[in-house]
Amino acid sequence: MEDVFMKIIRREIPADIVYEDADTVAFLDIRPNTPGHTLVVPKKPVQNIFDADDETLAATMRTVRKIAPAVRDAVGAHGVHINSNHGAAAGQIVFHLHFHIIPRHDKSEFAFWPQNEYPPGEAATIAEKIRQALG
Ligand code: 5GP
């Protein structure tokens, strides 16, 4: 499947690029949740957290940390959401690792996902399964 972010990295299609270094690029999301919504991507074409190596993730997060306050200040926001979808079931549409930096001015701009409760004992069971999966 076409990796549209590689096309942006290679300047094959236009984008409002705000930052670039040896390993990463940041550009405005074409369909912003709020004005200033920025995507940070590695130049290396990894799909998501499941195939990304530590170095690629570290470089990408360094750029997220650099870009987040600039995005916040540029649009006069008070905070940002840093969101990242991994896998189609989580809403990932573009299979090139990316972090969304979304300016927030106040809580009315977003709704948190529903919070649920564990039946008795289920949290401990799931926690144990995660520990076992970690090996
Ligand atoms: P996700 O994969 O996390 O669901 O979201 C992918 C994001 O990439 C979306 O917010 C979408 O608006 C953005 N996007 C998709 N295609 C393009 C494009 O060609 N240019 C830019 N700047 N953003 C894009």
Side-chain angles (χ1 to χ4, degrees), residues 4-5 8 13-15 27-31 37 39 85 91-94 98 100:
V4 71
F5 293 169
I8 289 173
I13 61 171
F27 51 89
L28 297 187
D29 193 303
I30 203 167
R31 300 196 61 190
H37 180 166
L39 301 174
N85 304 322
Q92 185 173 12
I93 295 167
V94 177
H98 56 280
H100 298 255

Short mmCIF file of all heavy atoms in Angstrom, two decimals, residues 4-5 8 13-15 27-31 37 39 85 91-94 98 100, ligand 1:
data_model
loop_
_atom_site.label_atom_id
_atom_site.label_comp_id
_atom_site.label_asym_id
_atom_site.label_seq_id
_atom_site.Cartn_x
_atom_site.Cartn_y
_atom_site.Cartn_z
N VAL A 4 1.95 7.43 2.10
CA VAL A 4 1.84 8.84 1.73
C VAL A 4 2.86 9.70 2.49
O VAL A 4 3.32 10.73 1.98
CB VAL A 4 0.39 9.34 1.93
CG1 VAL A 4 0.03 9.44 3.40
CG2 VAL A 4 0.16 10.66 1.22
N PHE A 5 3.25 9.26 3.69
CA PHE A 5 4.21 10.07 4.45
C PHE A 5 5.61 9.98 3.83
O PHE A 5 6.37 10.94 3.90
CB PHE A 5 4.21 9.66 5.92
CG PHE A 5 2.94 10.00 6.65
CD1 PHE A 5 2.68 9.51 7.91
CD2 PHE A 5 1.98 10.84 6.07
CE1 PHE A 5 1.50 9.83 8.58
CE2 PHE A 5 0.79 11.16 6.74
CZ PHE A 5 0.57 10.64 7.99
N ILE A 8 5.72 12.58 1.29
CA ILE A 8 5.95 13.91 1.88
C ILE A 8 7.43 14.07 2.23
O ILE A 8 8.05 15.09 1.94
CB ILE A 8 5.04 14.11 3.11
CG1 ILE A 8 3.59 14.28 2.65
CG2 ILE A 8 5.51 15.32 3.93
CD1 ILE A 8 2.57 14.31 3.77
N ILE A 13 4.99 14.96 -2.81
CA ILE A 13 3.71 15.66 -2.71
C ILE A 13 3.89 16.79 -1.71
O ILE A 13 4.74 16.71 -0.82
CB ILE A 13 2.54 14.73 -2.29
CG1 ILE A 13 2.79 14.13 -0.90
CG2 ILE A 13 2.31 13.65 -3.34
CD1 ILE A 13 1.57 13.37 -0.36
N PRO A 14 3.08 17.85 -1.83
CA PRO A 14 3.28 19.01 -0.96
C PRO A 14 2.78 18.76 0.46
O PRO A 14 1.86 17.96 0.68
CB PRO A 14 2.45 20.11 -1.64
CG PRO A 14 1.45 19.40 -2.47
CD PRO A 14 2.05 18.07 -2.86
N ALA A 15 3.39 19.44 1.40
CA ALA A 15 2.94 19.43 2.79
C ALA A 15 3.51 20.68 3.46
O ALA A 15 4.52 21.23 3.00
CB ALA A 15 3.41 18.18 3.51
N PHE A 27 5.07 17.93 10.05
CA PHE A 27 4.27 18.72 9.09
C PHE A 27 2.83 18.79 9.58
O PHE A 27 2.39 17.97 10.39
CB PHE A 27 4.35 18.10 7.69
CG PHE A 27 4.04 16.62 7.64
CD1 PHE A 27 2.74 16.17 7.46
CD2 PHE A 27 5.06 15.68 7.78
CE1 PHE A 27 2.46 14.81 7.43
CE2 PHE A 27 4.79 14.32 7.75
CZ PHE A 27 3.49 13.88 7.56
N LEU A 28 2.10 19.77 9.07
CA LEU A 28 0.70 19.93 9.48
C LEU A 28 -0.15 18.79 8.94
O LEU A 28 0.01 18.38 7.77
CB LEU A 28 0.14 21.26 8.97
CG LEU A 28 0.78 22.54 9.51
CD1 LEU A 28 -0.02 23.75 9.05
CD2 LEU A 28 0.91 22.52 11.03
N ASP A 29 -1.05 18.29 9.79
CA ASP A 29 -2.04 17.30 9.34
C ASP A 29 -2.98 17.98 8.35
O ASP A 29 -3.45 19.09 8.60
CB ASP A 29 -2.82 16.76 10.55
CG ASP A 29 -3.63 15.52 10.21
OD1 ASP A 29 -4.48 15.58 9.28
OD2 ASP A 29 -3.44 14.48 10.87
N ILE A 30 -3.25 17.29 7.24
CA ILE A 30 -4.07 17.88 6.18
C ILE A 30 -5.52 18.08 6.62
O ILE A 30 -6.22 18.92 6.07
CB ILE A 30 -3.98 16.98 4.91
CG1 ILE A 30 -4.31 17.76 3.66
CG2 ILE A 30 -4.85 15.74 5.03
CD1 ILE A 30 -3.94 17.05 2.37
N ARG A 31 -5.95 17.32 7.62
CA ARG A 31 -7.32 17.46 8.15
C ARG A 31 -7.23 17.64 9.67
O ARG A 31 -7.42 16.69 10.44
CB ARG A 31 -8.16 16.23 7.79
CG ARG A 31 -8.28 16.04 6.28
CD ARG A 31 -9.39 15.10 5.92
NE ARG A 31 -10.68 15.61 6.39
CZ ARG A 31 -11.80 14.89 6.38
NH1 ARG A 31 -11.79 13.66 5.95
NH2 ARG A 31 -12.93 15.41 6.81
N HIS A 37 -2.58 21.33 14.32
CA HIS A 37 -2.43 19.86 14.46
C HIS A 37 -1.27 19.40 13.58
O HIS A 37 -1.29 19.54 12.36
CB HIS A 37 -3.75 19.22 14.02
CG HIS A 37 -3.81 17.74 14.08
ND1 HIS A 37 -5.01 17.06 13.99
CD2 HIS A 37 -2.87 16.77 14.20
CE1 HIS A 37 -4.80 15.75 14.05
NE2 HIS A 37 -3.50 15.55 14.17
N LEU A 39 1.90 16.48 12.66
CA LEU A 39 2.33 15.08 12.69
C LEU A 39 3.84 15.01 12.71
O LEU A 39 4.51 15.75 11.97
CB LEU A 39 1.81 14.34 11.46
CG LEU A 39 0.29 14.32 11.27
CD1 LEU A 39 -0.07 13.68 9.93
CD2 LEU A 39 -0.39 13.58 12.41
N ASN A 85 -1.87 6.22 16.91
CA ASN A 85 -2.70 5.04 16.67
C ASN A 85 -1.83 3.93 16.08
O ASN A 85 -1.05 4.18 15.15
CB ASN A 85 -3.83 5.38 15.69
CG ASN A 85 -4.67 6.54 16.20
OD1 ASN A 85 -4.92 6.64 17.39
ND2 ASN A 85 -5.09 7.42 15.30
N GLY A 91 -7.52 2.57 14.86
CA GLY A 91 -7.81 3.75 14.04
C GLY A 91 -6.65 4.21 13.17
O GLY A 91 -6.73 5.28 12.58
N GLN A 92 -5.58 3.41 13.10
CA GLN A 92 -4.46 3.82 12.24
C GLN A 92 -4.88 3.70 10.78
O GLN A 92 -5.36 2.66 10.33
CB GLN A 92 -3.22 2.96 12.51
CG GLN A 92 -2.00 3.45 11.72
CD GLN A 92 -0.71 2.72 12.10
OE1 GLN A 92 -0.73 1.69 12.78
NE2 GLN A 92 0.41 3.26 11.65
N ILE A 93 -4.69 4.79 10.06
CA ILE A 93 -5.04 4.84 8.63
C ILE A 93 -3.78 4.85 7.79
O ILE A 93 -3.72 4.18 6.76
CB ILE A 93 -5.90 6.10 8.35
CG1 ILE A 93 -7.24 5.99 9.08
CG2 ILE A 93 -6.11 6.27 6.85
CD1 ILE A 93 -8.01 7.30 9.12
N VAL A 94 -2.80 5.62 8.21
CA VAL A 94 -1.53 5.68 7.48
C VAL A 94 -0.51 4.79 8.21
O VAL A 94 -0.17 5.08 9.37
CB VAL A 94 -1.01 7.12 7.37
CG1 VAL A 94 0.35 7.15 6.66
CG2 VAL A 94 -2.01 8.00 6.63
N HIS A 98 3.60 7.56 13.31
CA HIS A 98 3.45 9.01 13.46
C HIS A 98 2.80 9.33 14.79
O HIS A 98 2.03 8.54 15.34
CB HIS A 98 2.64 9.63 12.32
CG HIS A 98 1.28 9.01 12.14
ND1 HIS A 98 1.08 7.82 11.48
CD2 HIS A 98 0.05 9.43 12.53
CE1 HIS A 98 -0.21 7.54 11.46
NE2 HIS A 98 -0.86 8.49 12.10
N HIS A 100 0.56 12.41 16.60
CA HIS A 100 -0.25 13.61 16.42
C HIS A 100 0.05 14.56 17.59
O HIS A 100 0.01 14.14 18.76
CB HIS A 100 -1.74 13.28 16.48
CG HIS A 100 -2.23 12.35 15.42
ND1 HIS A 100 -2.98 12.79 14.34
CD2 HIS A 100 -2.11 11.00 15.26
CE1 HIS A 100 -3.31 11.75 13.57
NE2 HIS A 100 -2.79 10.65 14.11
P1 5GP B 1 -3.98 7.92 11.71
O1 5GP B 1 -3.28 6.94 10.81
O2 5GP B 1 -3.27 8.18 13.00
O3 5GP B 1 -5.43 7.58 11.92
O4 5GP B 1 -4.07 9.32 10.99
C1 5GP B 1 -3.36 9.67 9.83
C2 5GP B 1 -3.42 11.17 9.71
O5 5GP B 1 -2.72 11.52 8.52
C3 5GP B 1 -4.83 11.75 9.58
O6 5GP B 1 -5.07 12.67 10.62
C4 5GP B 1 -4.85 12.40 8.20
O7 5GP B 1 -5.57 13.62 8.17
C5 5GP B 1 -3.37 12.61 7.91
N1 5GP B 1 -3.04 12.57 6.50
C6 5GP B 1 -3.42 11.59 5.63
N2 5GP B 1 -2.95 11.86 4.40
C7 5GP B 1 -2.25 13.03 4.49
C8 5GP B 1 -1.54 13.82 3.54
O8 5GP B 1 -1.43 13.51 2.35
N3 5GP B 1 -0.94 14.94 4.01
C9 5GP B 1 -1.02 15.32 5.32
N4 5GP B 1 -0.40 16.46 5.67
N5 5GP B 1 -1.69 14.60 6.25
C10 5GP B 1 -2.31 13.47 5.83
#
